[in-house]
Amino acid sequence: MVIKIKTIGIILREFTENDIDFLGNRSDLYKALDSFNTNLIGIPININWFKIKNVVSLCDGIILPGGSSINTNDFKLIEYLIQKNIPTLGICLGMQTMAQYFNNKQEIKVDNHYNTNKYVHKVIINTKSKLYDIVKQKEIEVNSRHHYAIPHTNMLINAKSEDNVIEGVELPYLKFFIGVEWHPESTFDSKSYQIIKQFINNL
């Protein structure tokens, strides 16, 4: 019997270094995914939307990773992922785009949520969420590398920081549509592993 290996599409973000524009992601995301038997496809967010949609249609799931800027295609993509019920994991900026899609694209600046330490603060998990079913704890330690936060969203809020910043969102009626503000691929501890594993198990 031939077992089909699942394919994950990873959105490639725009960034500038030494005045040169690039598309890509942090390498720790790929190192974390290397622990699982999956195919990976990079999908540039700044190309023609119909080309993006054609590639996404080949994928079993999508990761919306971190980055520094939102592209208008992000919201077209989120709408398509919801319509097609494609398993989606949003990380940092990816989580913000998910929440903003349901909140008129609003965000606020926060000054105390960027730190390069492995663990920065606790998040309190909503016990009535899929995220809680995954991590099975009311509080977990996370990293924090974001300058902006979501003040409100119509999605289910599955996690908040101790200073009441929204740290996670989800749509519980979909197969897997969860976003977290922290970077599970960077800590990749037991809770982070379970988040990524459950995303892959739902492909």
Side-chain angles (χ1 to χ4, degrees):
M1 182 178 69
V2 177
I3 299 176
K4 180 181 179 292
I5 298 176
K6 301 294 186 176
T7 298
I8 298 172
I10 304 172
I11 298 304
L12 302 178
R13 299 286 187 199
E14 301 169 275
F15 67 97
T16 302
E17 194 170 284
N18 298 324
D19 296 321
I20 300 174
D21 296 329
F22 292 92
L23 281 168
N25 307 116
R26 290 173 56 100
S27 62
D28 51 8
L29 177 59
Y30 297 93
K31 290 177 183 176
L33 291 170
D34 196 41
S35 303
F36 304 93
N37 185 25
T38 58
N39 294 318
L40 306 177
I41 297 179
I43 307 173
I45 194 61
N46 64 345
I47 61 174
N48 179 279
W49 160 243
F50 294 100
K51 292 182 179 179
I52 294 174
K53 186 168 70 169
N54 287 338
V55 179
V56 170
S57 68
L58 303 174
C59 300
D60 299 292
I62 296 292
I63 292 180
L64 308 174
S68 57
S69 62
I70 297 173
N71 189 287
T72 54
N73 282 334
D74 275 296
F75 298 109
K76 295 177 184 177
L77 174 58
I78 289 168
E79 182 176 34
Y80 180 78
L81 294 171
I82 293 170
Q83 288 175 351
K84 300 297 183 180
N85 197 7
I86 297 173
T88 303
L89 174 62
I91 298 171
C92 199
L93 182 71
M95 169 262 173
Q96 293 174 17
T97 61
M98 295 162 84
Q100 287 179 53
Y101 178 81
F102 288 89
N103 186 39
N104 300 318
K105 306 175 180 61
Q106 298 175 0
E107 61 184 6
I108 57 173
K109 197 170 189 307
V110 288
D111 297 320
N112 59 338
H113 277 255
Y114 186 92
N115 191 303
T116 57
N117 291 341
K118 182 174 181 179
Y119 296 106
V120 178
H121 61 75
K122 292 180 181 178
V123 294
I124 296 89
I125 308 296
N126 180 347
T127 57
K128 296 181 179 179
S129 67
K130 283 189 176 181
L131 182 62
Y132 178 79
D133 293 339
I134 294 170
V135 300
K136 294 179 171 54
Q137 284 185 208
K138 292 183 179 180
E139 294 183 1
I140 60 172
E141 293 278 347
V142 300
N143 54 29
S144 190
R145 297 201 301 260
H146 61 104
H147 296 287
Y148 292 90
I150 304 300
H152 171 75
T153 181
N154 292 328
M155 296 180 70
L156 175 67
I157 297 170
N158 58 27
K160 281 190 173 184
S161 63
E162 294 172 295
D163 58 349
N164 212 38
V165 171
I166 295 173
E167 290 277 338
V169 294
E170 64 182 64
L171 292 179
Y173 58 86
L174 295 181
K175 196 172 182 182
F176 188 104
F177 198 84
I178 294 176
V180 295
E181 188 70 85
W182 63 94
H183 290 261
E185 77 281 10
S186 296
T187 51
F188 208 51
D189 53 20
S190 61
K191 303 305 175 187
S192 300
Y193 175 84
Q194 286 300 322
I195 291 171
I196 297 175
K197 180 182 177 183
Q198 287 303 313
F199 161 67
I200 291 172
N201 285 348
N202 278 278
L203 300 181

